[in-house]
Amino acid sequence: MTTPPYQPGYAPGYSDKSKVVAGILGILLGTFGAGRFYTGHTKIAVLQLVVSLVTCGFGALWGLIDGILILVNGGTDAQGRPLRD
């Protein structure tokens, strides 16, 4: 097993993605899955986009709630590392 490369400026084991940015993207552009695309969760992001299109925009509530939860509880990136503050 190899160790992941060290990212200068960030604590080891933390993502280089910000939970504040992910949360705000989720709140403002959750209809398009922007917060999930930002964190690397492309399958969930595409699903958010499809649900929003199929439900004529009512699926945007998913993105809004998702963004709030990321801001409150934090989240992870696609590699499972916690988002930085």
Side-chain angles (χ1 to χ4, degrees):
M1 258 220 180
T2 62
T3 55
Y6 176 72
Q7 299 173 355
Y10 305 114
Y14 281 90
S15 175
D16 58 336
K17 307 291 184 184
S18 168
K19 78 175 185 180
V20 173
V21 173
I24 291 174
L25 283 172
I27 291 170
L28 297 178
L29 300 172
T31 304
F32 307 109
R36 291 299 183 161
F37 276 120
Y38 173 73
T39 59
H41 296 103
T42 54
K43 289 180 184 177
I44 297 173
V46 170
L47 189 61
Q48 279 182 328
L49 178 60
V50 169
V51 167
S52 293
L53 291 174
V54 170
T55 62
C56 298
F58 287 112
L61 288 174
W62 180 8
L64 176 70
I65 293 168
D66 193 34
I68 292 170
L69 287 175
I70 289 174
L71 285 174
V72 172
N73 297 331
T76 61
D77 64 5
Q79 290 79 32
R81 299 174 299 181
L83 299 174
R84 64 182 169 85
D85 288 332

Coordinates of all heavy atoms in Angstrom, one line a residue:
M1 N 0.8 -1.2 0.0 CA 0.0 0.0 0.0 C 0.9 1.2 0.0 O 1.8 1.3 0.7 CB -0.8 0.0 1.3 CG -2.2 -0.4 1.0 SD -3.4 0.5 1.9 CE -4.8 -0.3 1.3
T2 N 0.4 2.2 -0.7 CA 1.2 3.4 -0.8 C 0.4 4.5 0.0 O -0.8 4.4 0.1 CB 1.4 3.9 -2.2 OG1 0.1 4.2 -2.8 CG2 2.1 2.9 -3.1
T3 N 1.1 5.4 0.6 CA 0.5 6.5 1.3 C 0.1 7.6 0.3 O 0.8 7.8 -0.6 CB 1.4 7.1 2.4 OG1 2.6 7.5 1.8 CG2 1.7 6.0 3.5
P4 N -1.0 8.2 0.5 CA -1.4 9.3 -0.4 C -0.5 10.5 -0.2 O 0.1 10.7 0.8 CB -2.8 9.7 0.1 CG -3.0 9.2 1.5 CD -2.0 8.0 1.6
P5 N -0.3 11.2 -1.3 CA 0.6 12.4 -1.2 C 0.1 13.4 -0.2 O -1.1 13.6 -0.1 CB 0.6 13.0 -2.7 CG -0.7 12.4 -3.2 CD -1.0 11.1 -2.6
Y6 N 1.0 14.1 0.4 CA 0.7 15.1 1.4 C 0.3 16.4 0.7 O 0.9 16.8 -0.3 CB 1.9 15.4 2.3 CG 1.6 16.5 3.3 CD1 0.8 16.3 4.4 CD2 2.2 17.7 3.2 CE1 0.5 17.3 5.3 CE2 2.0 18.7 4.0 CZ 1.1 18.5 5.1 OH 0.9 19.5 6.0
Q7 N -0.8 17.0 1.2 CA -1.2 18.2 0.6 C -0.8 19.4 1.5 O -1.3 19.5 2.6 CB -2.8 18.2 0.4 CG -3.3 17.1 -0.5 CD -4.8 17.0 -0.4 OE1 -5.4 17.7 0.3 NE2 -5.3 16.2 -1.3
P8 N 0.1 20.2 1.0 CA 0.5 21.3 1.9 C -0.6 22.3 2.2 O -1.4 22.6 1.3 CB 1.6 22.0 1.0 CG 1.4 21.5 -0.4 CD 0.7 20.2 -0.3
G9 N -0.7 22.7 3.4 CA -1.7 23.7 3.8 C -2.9 23.0 4.4 O -3.8 23.7 4.9
Y10 N -3.1 21.7 4.3 CA -4.3 21.1 4.8 C -3.8 20.0 5.8 O -2.8 19.4 5.6 CB -5.1 20.4 3.7 CG -5.5 21.4 2.6 CD1 -5.0 21.3 1.4 CD2 -6.3 22.4 2.9 CE1 -5.4 22.2 0.4 CE2 -6.7 23.3 1.9 CZ -6.2 23.2 0.7 OH -6.6 24.1 -0.3
A11 N -4.6 19.7 6.8 CA -4.3 18.7 7.8 C -4.4 17.3 7.0 O -5.2 17.1 6.2 CB -5.3 18.7 8.9
P12 N -3.5 16.4 7.4 CA -3.5 15.1 6.7 C -4.9 14.4 7.0 O -5.4 14.5 8.1 CB -2.4 14.3 7.3 CG -1.6 15.3 8.1 CD -2.4 16.5 8.3
G13 N -5.4 13.8 6.0 CA -6.7 13.1 6.1 C -7.9 13.9 5.8 O -9.0 13.4 5.8
Y14 N -7.7 15.2 5.6 CA -8.8 16.1 5.2 C -8.8 16.4 3.7 O -7.8 16.4 3.1 CB -8.7 17.4 6.0 CG -9.2 17.3 7.4 CD1 -8.4 16.9 8.4 CD2 -10.6 17.5 7.7 CE1 -8.8 16.8 9.7 CE2 -11.0 17.3 9.0 CZ -10.1 17.0 10.0 OH -10.6 16.9 11.3
S15 N -10.0 16.6 3.2 CA -10.1 16.9 1.8 C -9.6 18.3 1.5 O -9.5 19.1 2.3 CB -11.6 16.8 1.4 OG -11.8 17.2 0.1
D16 N -9.3 18.5 0.2 CA -9.0 19.9 -0.2 C -10.2 20.7 -0.5 O -10.1 21.9 -0.9 CB -8.0 19.9 -1.4 CG -8.5 19.1 -2.6 OD1 -9.4 18.3 -2.4 OD2 -8.1 19.4 -3.7
K17 N -11.4 20.1 -0.4 CA -12.7 20.7 -0.7 C -13.2 21.3 0.6 O -13.1 20.8 1.7 CB -13.7 19.8 -1.3 CG -13.2 19.0 -2.5 CD -13.1 19.9 -3.7 CE -12.7 19.0 -4.9 NZ -12.4 19.8 -6.0
S18 N -13.9 22.5 0.5 CA -14.5 23.2 1.6 C -15.9 22.8 1.8 O -16.7 22.8 0.8 CB -14.3 24.7 1.4 OG -15.1 25.4 2.3
K19 N -16.3 22.6 3.1 CA -17.7 22.3 3.3 C -18.6 23.5 3.1 O -19.8 23.4 2.8 CB -17.9 21.7 4.7 CG -17.9 22.6 5.9 CD -18.2 21.9 7.1 CE -18.3 22.8 8.3 NZ -18.7 22.1 9.5
V20 N -18.1 24.7 3.3 CA -18.8 25.9 3.1 C -19.2 26.1 1.7 O -20.3 26.4 1.3 CB -18.1 27.2 3.7 CG1 -18.8 28.4 3.3 CG2 -17.8 27.0 5.2
V21 N -18.2 25.9 0.8 CA -18.4 26.0 -0.7 C -19.4 24.9 -1.1 O -20.4 25.2 -1.8 CB -17.1 25.9 -1.4 CG1 -17.4 25.8 -2.9 CG2 -16.2 27.0 -1.1
A22 N -19.2 23.7 -0.6 CA -20.1 22.6 -1.0 C -21.6 22.9 -0.5 O -22.5 22.6 -1.3 CB -19.6 21.3 -0.5
G23 N -21.7 23.4 0.7 CA -23.0 23.7 1.2 C -23.7 24.8 0.5 O -24.9 24.7 0.1
I24 N -23.0 25.9 0.2 CA -23.6 27.0 -0.6 C -23.9 26.6 -2.0 O -25.0 27.0 -2.5 CB -22.6 28.2 -0.5 CG1 -22.6 28.8 0.9 CG2 -23.1 29.3 -1.5 CD1 -21.6 29.9 1.1
L25 N -23.1 25.8 -2.6 CA -23.4 25.3 -4.0 C -24.7 24.5 -3.9 O -25.5 24.5 -4.8 CB -22.3 24.6 -4.6 CG -21.1 25.4 -5.1 CD1 -20.0 24.4 -5.5 CD2 -21.5 26.2 -6.3
G26 N -24.8 23.7 -2.9 CA -26.0 22.8 -2.7 C -27.2 23.6 -2.5 O -28.3 23.3 -3.0
I27 N -27.1 24.7 -1.8 CA -28.3 25.5 -1.5 C -28.7 26.3 -2.7 O -29.9 26.4 -3.1 CB -28.0 26.5 -0.3 CG1 -28.0 25.7 1.0 CG2 -29.1 27.6 -0.2 CD1 -27.5 26.5 2.2
L28 N -27.7 27.0 -3.4 CA -28.0 27.8 -4.5 C -28.2 27.1 -5.8 O -29.1 27.5 -6.6 CB -26.9 28.9 -4.7 CG -26.7 29.8 -3.5 CD1 -25.6 30.8 -3.8 CD2 -28.0 30.6 -3.2
L29 N -27.5 26.1 -6.1 CA -27.5 25.3 -7.3 C -27.8 23.8 -7.1 O -27.4 23.0 -7.9 CB -26.2 25.5 -8.1 CG -25.8 27.0 -8.4 CD1 -24.4 27.0 -9.0 CD2 -26.8 27.5 -9.4
G30 N -28.5 23.5 -6.1 CA -28.8 22.1 -5.8 C -29.6 21.4 -6.8 O -29.6 20.2 -7.0
T31 N -30.4 22.2 -7.6 CA -31.2 21.7 -8.7 C -30.3 21.0 -9.7 O -30.7 20.0 -10.3 CB -32.0 22.8 -9.4 OG1 -32.8 23.5 -8.4 CG2 -32.9 22.3 -10.5
F32 N -29.1 21.5 -9.9 CA -28.2 20.9 -10.9 C -27.2 20.0 -10.2 O -26.3 19.5 -10.9 CB -27.5 22.1 -11.6 CG -28.4 23.1 -12.1 CD1 -28.5 24.4 -11.6 CD2 -29.2 22.8 -13.2 CE1 -29.4 25.3 -12.1 CE2 -30.1 23.7 -13.7 CZ -30.2 25.0 -13.2
G33 N -27.3 19.7 -8.9 CA -26.3 18.9 -8.3 C -24.9 19.4 -8.1 O -24.0 18.7 -8.0
A34 N -24.8 20.8 -8.1 CA -23.5 21.4 -8.1 C -22.7 21.1 -6.9 O -21.5 20.9 -7.0 CB -23.7 22.9 -8.2
G35 N -23.3 21.0 -5.7 CA -22.6 20.7 -4.5 C -22.0 19.3 -4.5 O -20.8 19.1 -4.1
R36 N -22.7 18.4 -5.1 CA -22.2 17.0 -5.2 C -21.2 16.9 -6.3 O -20.2 16.1 -6.2 CB -23.4 16.1 -5.4 CG -24.2 15.9 -4.2 CD -23.4 15.4 -3.1 NE -24.3 15.2 -1.9 CZ -24.0 14.4 -0.9 NH1 -22.8 13.8 -0.9 NH2 -24.8 14.3 0.1
F37 N -21.3 17.6 -7.4 CA -20.3 17.6 -8.4 C -19.0 18.2 -7.8 O -17.9 17.6 -8.1 CB -20.7 18.4 -9.7 CG -21.5 17.7 -10.6 CD1 -22.8 18.1 -11.0 CD2 -21.1 16.5 -11.3 CE1 -23.6 17.5 -11.9 CE2 -21.9 15.9 -12.2 CZ -23.1 16.3 -12.5
Y38 N -19.1 19.2 -7.0 CA -17.9 19.8 -6.4 C -17.1 18.8 -5.5 O -15.9 18.8 -5.6 CB -18.3 21.1 -5.6 CG -17.3 21.7 -4.8 CD1 -16.2 22.4 -5.4 CD2 -17.2 21.6 -3.4 CE1 -15.2 23.0 -4.6 CE2 -16.2 22.1 -2.7 CZ -15.2 22.9 -3.3 OH -14.2 23.4 -2.5
T39 N -17.9 18.0 -4.8 CA -17.2 17.1 -3.9 C -16.8 15.8 -4.6 O -16.2 14.9 -4.0 CB -18.1 16.7 -2.7 OG1 -19.3 16.2 -3.1 CG2 -18.3 18.0 -1.8
G40 N -17.2 15.6 -5.8 CA -16.8 14.4 -6.6 C -17.8 13.3 -6.6 O -17.5 12.2 -7.1
H41 N -19.0 13.5 -6.0 CA -20.0 12.5 -6.0 C -20.9 12.6 -7.2 O -22.0 13.1 -7.2 CB -20.9 12.6 -4.7 CG -20.2 12.4 -3.5 ND1 -19.8 13.4 -2.6 CD2 -19.7 11.3 -2.8 CE1 -19.1 12.9 -1.6 NE2 -19.1 11.6 -1.7
T42 N -20.3 12.2 -8.4 CA -21.0 12.4 -9.6 C -22.3 11.7 -9.8 O -23.3 12.2 -10.4 CB -20.1 12.2 -10.8 OG1 -19.6 10.8 -10.7 CG2 -18.9 13.1 -10.9
K43 N -22.4 10.4 -9.3 CA -23.6 9.7 -9.4 C -24.8 10.3 -8.7 O -25.9 10.4 -9.2 CB -23.4 8.2 -8.9 CG -22.5 7.4 -9.8 CD -22.3 6.0 -9.2 CE -21.4 5.2 -10.1 NZ -21.1 3.9 -9.6
I44 N -24.5 10.8 -7.5 CA -25.6 11.5 -6.7 C -25.9 12.8 -7.4 O -27.1 13.2 -7.5 CB -25.1 11.7 -5.3 CG1 -24.9 10.4 -4.6 CG2 -26.2 12.5 -4.5 CD1 -24.3 10.5 -3.2
A45 N -24.9 13.5 -7.9 CA -25.2 14.8 -8.6 C -26.1 14.6 -9.8 O -27.0 15.4 -10.0 CB -23.9 15.4 -9.0
V46 N -25.8 13.6 -10.6 CA -26.6 13.3 -11.8 C -28.0 12.9 -11.4 O -29.0 13.3 -12.0 CB -25.9 12.2 -12.7 CG1 -26.9 11.8 -13.8 CG2 -24.6 12.7 -13.3
L47 N -28.1 12.1 -10.3 CA -29.4 11.7 -9.8 C -30.2 13.0 -9.4 O -31.4 13.1 -9.6 CB -29.3 10.7 -8.7 CG -30.5 10.1 -8.2 CD1 -31.2 9.3 -9.3 CD2 -30.2 9.1 -7.1
Q48 N -29.6 13.9 -8.7 CA -30.2 15.1 -8.3 C -30.7 15.9 -9.5 O -31.9 16.4 -9.5 CB -29.3 16.0 -7.5 CG -29.1 15.6 -6.0 CD -28.2 16.6 -5.2 OE1 -27.3 17.2 -5.8 NE2 -28.5 16.8 -4.0
L49 N -29.9 16.0 -10.5 CA -30.3 16.7 -11.7 C -31.5 16.0 -12.4 O -32.5 16.7 -12.8 CB -29.1 16.8 -12.7 CG -29.3 17.4 -14.0 CD1 -29.7 18.9 -13.8 CD2 -28.1 17.4 -14.9
V50 N -31.5 14.7 -12.5 CA -32.6 14.0 -13.2 C -33.8 14.1 -12.4 O -34.9 14.4 -12.9 CB -32.2 12.5 -13.4 CG1 -33.4 11.7 -13.8 CG2 -31.0 12.4 -14.4
V51 N -33.8 14.0 -11.0 CA -35.0 14.1 -10.2 C -35.5 15.5 -10.3 O -36.8 15.7 -10.4 CB -34.6 13.8 -8.7 CG1 -35.8 14.2 -7.8 CG2 -34.4 12.3 -8.6
S52 N -34.7 16.5 -10.4 CA -35.2 17.9 -10.5 C -35.9 18.1 -11.9 O -36.9 18.8 -12.0 CB -34.0 18.9 -10.4 OG -33.6 18.9 -9.1
L53 N -35.3 17.5 -12.9 CA -35.9 17.6 -14.3 C -37.2 16.9 -14.3 O -38.2 17.4 -14.9 CB -35.0 17.2 -15.3 CG -33.7 18.0 -15.6 CD1 -32.8 17.4 -16.6 CD2 -34.1 19.4 -16.1
V54 N -37.3 15.7 -13.8 CA -38.5 14.8 -13.9 C -39.6 15.4 -13.1 O -40.8 15.3 -13.5 CB -38.2 13.4 -13.5 CG1 -39.4 12.5 -13.3 CG2 -37.2 12.7 -14.5
T55 N -39.3 16.0 -11.9 CA -40.3 16.6 -11.1 C -40.6 18.0 -11.3 O -41.2 18.7 -10.5 CB -40.0 16.4 -9.6 OG1 -38.8 17.1 -9.3 CG2 -39.8 14.9 -9.2
C56 N -40.2 18.5 -12.5 CA -40.4 19.9 -12.9 C -39.9 20.9 -11.9 O -40.5 21.9 -11.6 CB -41.9 20.2 -13.2 SG -42.5 19.2 -14.5
G57 N -38.8 20.6 -11.2 CA -38.1 21.6 -10.3 C -38.4 21.3 -8.8 O -37.7 21.8 -8.0
F58 N -39.4 20.4 -8.5 CA -39.6 20.1 -7.1 C -38.5 19.4 -6.5 O -38.3 19.4 -5.2 CB -40.9 19.4 -6.9 CG -42.1 20.2 -7.1 CD1 -42.9 20.0 -8.2 CD2 -42.4 21.3 -6.3 CE1 -44.1 20.8 -8.4 CE2 -43.5 22.1 -6.5 CZ -44.4 21.9 -7.6
G59 N -37.6 18.7 -7.3 CA -36.5 18.0 -6.8 C -35.4 18.9 -6.2 O -34.4 18.5 -5.6
A60 N -35.6 20.2 -6.5 CA -34.6 21.2 -5.9 C -34.6 21.2 -4.4 O -33.6 21.6 -3.8 CB -35.0 22.6 -6.5
L61 N -35.7 20.8 -3.8 CA -35.7 20.7 -2.4 C -34.6 19.7 -1.9 O -34.1 20.0 -0.8 CB -37.1 20.2 -1.9 CG -38.2 21.2 -2.0 CD1 -39.5 20.6 -1.6 CD2 -37.9 22.4 -1.2
W62 N -34.4 18.7 -2.6 CA -33.3 17.8 -2.2 C -32.0 18.5 -2.1 O -31.2 18.3 -1.2 CB -33.2 16.6 -3.3 CG -32.2 15.6 -3.0 CD1 -31.4 15.4 -1.9 CD2 -31.8 14.5 -3.9 NE1 -30.6 14.3 -2.0 CE2 -30.8 13.8 -3.3 CE3 -32.2 14.1 -5.1 CZ2 -30.2 12.7 -3.9 CZ3 -31.6 13.0 -5.7 CH2 -30.6 12.3 -5.1
G63 N -31.6 19.3 -3.1 CA -30.4 20.1 -3.1 C -30.3 21.1 -2.0 O -29.3 21.2 -1.4
L64 N -31.4 21.7 -1.7 CA -31.5 22.7 -0.6 C -31.2 22.0 0.7 O -30.4 22.5 1.5 CB -32.9 23.4 -0.6 CG -33.1 24.3 0.6 CD1 -32.3 25.6 0.4 CD2 -34.6 24.7 0.6
I65 N -31.9 20.9 1.0 CA -31.8 20.2 2.2 C -30.3 19.6 2.3 O -29.7 19.6 3.4 CB -32.8 19.1 2.4 CG1 -34.2 19.7 2.5 CG2 -32.5 18.2 3.5 CD1 -35.4 18.8 2.4
D66 N -29.9 19.1 1.2 CA -28.5 18.5 1.2 C -27.5 19.6 1.5 O -26.5 19.3 2.2 CB -28.3 17.9 -0.2 CG -27.0 17.0 -0.3 OD1 -26.7 16.4 0.7 OD2 -26.4 17.0 -1.3
G67 N -27.6 20.8 0.9 CA -26.7 21.9 1.2 C -26.7 22.3 2.6 O -25.6 22.5 3.2
I68 N -27.9 22.3 3.2 CA -28.0 22.7 4.7 C -27.3 21.6 5.5 O -26.6 21.9 6.5 CB -29.4 22.9 5.1 CG1 -30.0 24.2 4.4 CG2 -29.6 23.0 6.6 CD1 -31.5 24.3 4.5
L69 N -27.5 20.4 5.2 CA -26.9 19.3 6.0 C -25.4 19.3 5.9 O -24.7 19.0 6.8 CB -27.5 17.9 5.6 CG -28.9 17.6 6.0 CD1 -29.4 16.3 5.4 CD2 -29.0 17.6 7.5
I70 N -24.9 19.6 4.7 CA -23.4 19.7 4.5 C -22.9 20.8 5.4 O -21.8 20.6 6.1 CB -23.1 19.8 3.1 CG1 -23.3 18.5 2.3 CG2 -21.6 20.2 2.9 CD1 -23.1 18.6 0.8
L71 N -23.6 21.9 5.4 CA -23.1 23.0 6.3 C -23.1 22.7 7.8 O -22.2 23.1 8.5 CB -23.9 24.3 6.0 CG -23.6 25.0 4.7 CD1 -24.6 26.2 4.5 CD2 -22.2 25.6 4.7
V72 N -24.2 22.0 8.2 CA -24.4 21.7 9.6 C -23.5 20.5 10.0 O -22.8 20.6 11.0 CB -25.8 21.4 9.9 CG1 -26.0 21.0 11.3 CG2 -26.7 22.7 9.7
N73 N -23.6 19.4 9.3 CA -22.9 18.2 9.7 C -21.6 18.0 9.0 O -20.8 17.1 9.4 CB -23.8 17.0 9.4 CG -25.1 17.0 10.2 OD1 -25.1 17.6 11.3 ND2 -26.1 16.5 9.7
G74 N -21.2 18.7 8.0 CA -20.0 18.4 7.3 C -20.4 17.4 6.2 O -21.5 17.0 6.0
G75 N -19.4 16.8 5.6 CA -19.6 15.8 4.6 C -18.2 15.2 4.2 O -17.2 15.5 4.8
T76 N -18.3 14.4 3.2 CA -17.0 13.8 2.7 C -16.9 14.1 1.2 O -17.9 14.3 0.5 CB -17.0 12.3 2.9 OG1 -18.1 11.7 2.3 CG2 -17.1 12.0 4.4
D77 N -15.6 13.9 0.7 CA -15.4 14.0 -0.7 C -15.6 12.6 -1.3 O -15.9 11.6 -0.6 CB -14.1 14.6 -1.0 CG -12.9 13.9 -0.6 OD1 -13.1 12.8 0.0 OD2 -11.8 14.4 -0.7
A78 N -15.3 12.4 -2.6 CA -15.5 11.1 -3.2 C -14.5 10.1 -2.7 O -14.8 8.9 -2.8 CB -15.3 11.3 -4.7
Q79 N -13.4 10.5 -2.1 CA -12.5 9.5 -1.5 C -12.8 9.2 -0.1 O -12.0 8.5 0.6 CB -11.0 10.1 -1.6 CG -10.5 10.1 -3.0 CD -11.0 11.2 -3.8 OE1 -11.2 12.3 -3.3 NE2 -11.1 11.1 -5.1
G80 N -13.9 9.8 0.5 CA -14.3 9.5 1.9 C -13.6 10.3 2.9 O -13.8 10.1 4.1
R81 N -12.8 11.3 2.5 CA -12.1 12.2 3.4 C -13.1 13.3 3.9 O -13.8 13.9 3.1 CB -10.9 12.9 2.8 CG -9.9 11.8 2.4 CD -8.7 12.5 1.6 NE -9.3 13.1 0.4 CZ -8.6 13.7 -0.5 NH1 -7.3 13.9 -0.3 NH2 -9.1 14.3 -1.5
P82 N -13.1 13.7 5.1 CA -14.0 14.8 5.6 C -13.6 16.1 4.9 O -12.4 16.4 4.7 CB -13.7 14.8 7.1 CG -12.7 13.9 7.4 CD -12.3 13.2 6.2
L83 N -14.6 16.9 4.7 CA -14.4 18.2 4.1 C -13.8 19.2 5.1 O -14.2 19.1 6.3 CB -15.8 18.8 3.6 CG -16.5 18.0 2.5 CD1 -17.8 18.6 2.2 CD2 -15.6 17.9 1.2
R84 N -13.0 20.1 4.7 CA -12.4 21.0 5.6 C -13.3 22.1 5.9 O -14.2 22.4 5.1 CB -11.0 21.5 5.1 CG -11.1 22.3 3.8 CD -9.8 22.8 3.4 NE -9.8 23.3 2.0 CZ -10.2 24.6 1.7 NH1 -10.4 25.4 2.7 NH2 -10.2 25.0 0.5
D85 N -13.1 22.8 7.0 CA -14.0 23.9 7.4 C -13.7 25.2 6.6 O -12.7 25.4 6.1 CB -13.8 24.2 8.9 CG -14.4 23.2 9.8 OD1 -15.4 22.5 9.3 OD2 -13.9 23.0 10.9

